[in-house]
Amino acid sequence: MQECVFCNIISKKTPAEFVYENERVVAFRDINPQAPVHILIVPRKHIATTNDVGEADKDLIGEMILVAKQIAQQEGVADSGYRLVMNCNENSGQEIYHLHLHLLGGRRMTWPPG
Ligand code: 5GP
Ligand code: ZN
């Protein structure tokens, strides 16, 4: 496999500010936050994009949402609200080709997204 930024964070070769980890999922603060709370929820399994998610990953994807919900509570944005985003491929602006869920909160978001 090619060198992957998030695989390196997961294996602790690259430092990151972790806020959560279990056997299947990790979460750390985005290095370039776009909101007061900007956390990435990332499966340990290397899956490049949502196009590569398989039937066998159903529980993993569900767990990412449950972890996001828990972190939103921890970070104090559950009631005020937050946005969960998964970018896929070029038109979305995906930069890192290892599946991740953005948790953005702490400010009013606009819609439609840019
Ligand atoms: P994407 O555009 O692929 O959905 O989002 C990738 C996110 O990863 C971006 O928000 C970017 O700031 C973040 N990111 C890229 N490299 C690193 C890194 O080395 N450490 C951390 N913590 N975040 C990163
Ligand atoms: Zn990876």
Side-chain angles (χ1 to χ4, degrees):
M1 194 198 298
Q2 275 176 273
E3 194 76 348
C4 168
V5 174
F6 287 176
C7 282
N8 285 341
I9 288 175
I10 290 160
S11 66
K12 308 270 162 91
K13 269 189 235 158
T14 304
E17 194 185 334
F18 282 81
V19 296
Y20 180 90
E21 42 184 321
N22 71 21
E23 305 77 52
R24 295 163 298 280
V25 175
V26 305
F28 49 85
R29 294 191 193 280
D30 196 292
I31 204 168
N32 182 23
Q34 301 302 311
V37 174
H38 188 174
I39 289 162
L40 303 171
I41 295 105
V42 185
R44 289 187 188 274
K45 179 180 177 183
H46 182 95
I47 301 169
T49 78
T50 50
N51 288 337
D52 303 294
V53 170
E55 281 287 318
D57 301 315
K58 272 195 219 170
D59 285 355
L60 182 60
I61 304 303
E63 187 167 7
M64 288 169 72
I65 301 277
L66 291 174
V67 168
K69 176 185 107 172
Q70 188 184 315
I71 294 170
Q73 269 154 3
Q74 254 169 240
E75 295 286 324
V77 298
D79 291 340
S80 54
Y82 54 91
R83 185 171 290 173
L84 298 178
V85 176
M86 263 189 201
N87 291 321
C88 179
N89 281 342
E90 203 179 333
N91 270 0
S92 74
Q94 185 175 4
E95 282 173 17
I96 306 285
Y97 282 77
H98 179 134
L99 198 74
H100 52 281
L101 182 62
H102 295 257
L103 164 59
L104 296 142
R107 68 165 170 85
R108 182 88 190 178
M109 305 283 157
T110 58
W111 194 266

